[in-house]
């Protein structure tokens, strides 16, 4: 692929099976990690990404290739084998994969590399979306995003190049399947990020933060709680979504 296209623009979308159950790991990487089979799978994914980057560097494409590495969802909390966790870990964030609104299911790292163009070691704490890949790629290719329909994504380049301080996403809508579970409002003048939950999965057991009884949280029906008024969180102060606000605790 690279040899055929290295002298002209190319787009390579490389979707990894890692780190998804059943954690298929080649023999070379079994037992590599102190974190069991999941850790082995991460090690192999790291090696695969490294091989791709090596080819880009070897072919002299480092300064002309925009690389974006991300996940499509947070860790799967229900994935277990005995006491071994097979689905990752979401740190301080509540919930996980398959949950429409909780941060643990939708907040993922994005890592960008464009040597010689983007400044190194920069951390951007602004809300972006995987939907932003489309307009970013169109922008990089010198094209124009269609104007005859609504495009939800926004090009990432102004944020990455430092010409914009804030994401163009003022509101972000978080669905579980076809059902709207939560909405985030990035209040640009104050920097506050509010999040309203209209529906949340019923955890089993109640304080587990996951749906172990069903093995995956449903999007609707008796496995979902509806909130009227919605649960409201200030993610700027409470990223773990532990303390829903009320008129008693938050006059604003």
């Amino acid at each position: 692929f690279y040899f055929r296209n290295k002298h002209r623009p190319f787009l390579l979308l490389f979707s990894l099976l890692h780190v998804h159950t059943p954690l298929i790991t080649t023999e070379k990487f079994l037992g590599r990690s102190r974190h069991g089979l999941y850790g082995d799978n991460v090690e192999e994914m790291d090696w695969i990404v490294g091989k791709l980057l090596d080819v880009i560097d070897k072919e002299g494409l480092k300064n002309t290739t925009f690389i974006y590495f991300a996940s499509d969802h947070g860790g799967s909390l229900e994935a277990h084998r005995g006491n071994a966790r097979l689905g990752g870990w979401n740190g301080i964030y509540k919930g996980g994969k398959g949950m429409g609104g909780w941060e643990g299911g939708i907040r993922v790292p994005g890592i960008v590399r464009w040597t010689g163009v983007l400044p190194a070691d920069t951390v951007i704490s602004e809300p972006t979306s995987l939907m932003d890949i489309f307009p970013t790629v169109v922008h990089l290719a010198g094209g124009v995003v269609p104007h005859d329909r609504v495009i939800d994504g926004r090009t990432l380049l102004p944020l990455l190049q430092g010409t914009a301080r804030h994401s163009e996403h003022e509101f972000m809508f978080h669905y579980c399947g076809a059902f709207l579970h939560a909405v985030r409002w990035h209040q640009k003048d104050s920097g506050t990020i509010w999040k309203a939950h209209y529906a949340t999965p019923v955890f089993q057991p109640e304080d587990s933060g996951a749906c172990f009884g069903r093995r995956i949280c449903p999007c609707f029906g008796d496995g979902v709680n509806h909130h009227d008024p919605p649960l409201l969180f200030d993610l700027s102060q409470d990223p773990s979504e532990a303390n829903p606000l009320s008129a008693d605790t938050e006059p604003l």
Side-chain angles (χ1 to χ4, degrees), residues 16-117:
L16 289 149
L17 289 172
H18 309 60
V19 285
H20 199 290
T21 54
L23 299 179
I24 297 167
T25 307
T26 59
E27 190 174 341
K28 178 181 176 182
F29 286 91
L30 287 174
R32 279 276 193 103
S33 169
R34 290 179 299 163
H35 299 284
L37 187 58
Y38 185 88
D40 295 342
N41 211 235
V42 172
E43 294 267 355
E44 186 165 30
M45 176 179 66
D46 183 57
W47 177 81
I48 291 169
V49 173
K51 297 298 280 186
L52 283 168
L53 296 180
D54 286 347
V55 172
I56 289 170
D57 294 353
K58 180 183 172 186
E59 296 299 323
L61 300 171
K62 188 193 305 190
N63 292 349
T64 56
T65 304
F66 178 90
I67 298 164
Y68 184 36
F69 177 88
S71 176
D72 58 344
H73 55 70
S76 175
L77 301 181
E78 290 88 3
H80 278 72
R81 184 181 298 158
N83 292 325
R85 300 173 74 162
L86 302 182
W89 181 63
N90 297 317
I92 67 169
Y93 302 111
K94 181 180 287 186
K97 175 191 175 183
M99 304 181 200
W102 294 118
E103 290 292 277
I106 56 180
R107 183 189 285 248
V108 297
I111 304 171
V112 175
R113 190 188 87 164
W114 192 1
T115 307
V117 178

Side-chain angles (χ1 to χ4, degrees), residues 109-190:
I111 304 171
V112 175
R113 190 188 87 164
W114 192 1
T115 307
V117 178
L118 301 179
D121 302 322
T122 301
V123 177
I124 298 171
S125 300
E126 289 286 303
T128 62
S129 165
L130 288 179
M131 293 186 295
D132 297 336
I133 294 174
F134 170 64
T136 302
V137 167
V138 170
H139 190 148
L140 287 168
V144 178
V145 172
H147 294 298
D148 61 344
R149 70 206 73 182
V150 175
I151 302 294
D152 292 318
R154 299 288 185 268
T155 176
L156 295 168
L157 292 177
L159 268 181
L160 295 173
Q161 293 176 324
T163 59
R165 288 180 54 242
H166 295 298
S167 166
E168 288 190 43
H169 292 287
E170 183 177 4
F171 295 95
M172 299 183 85
F173 299 85
H174 304 300
Y175 283 81
C176 186
F179 300 91
L180 180 66
H181 275 214
V183 175
R184 164 189 326 251
W185 177 29
H186 185 215
Q187 196 173 4
K188 294 182 181 178
D189 54 350
S190 68

Side-chain angles (χ1 to χ4, degrees), residues 184-202:
R184 164 189 326 251
W185 177 29
H186 185 215
Q187 196 173 4
K188 294 182 181 178
D189 54 350
S190 68
T192 304
I193 299 178
W194 305 95
K195 181 121 154 278
H197 287 262
Y198 300 97
T200 55
V202 177

Side-chain angles (χ1 to χ4, degrees), residues 229-248:
L231 297 180
L232 181 64
F233 297 92
D234 176 0
L235 294 184
S236 318
Q237 304 297 322
D238 180 24
S240 298
E241 297 173 288
N243 303 300
L245 302 174
S246 70
D248 298 328

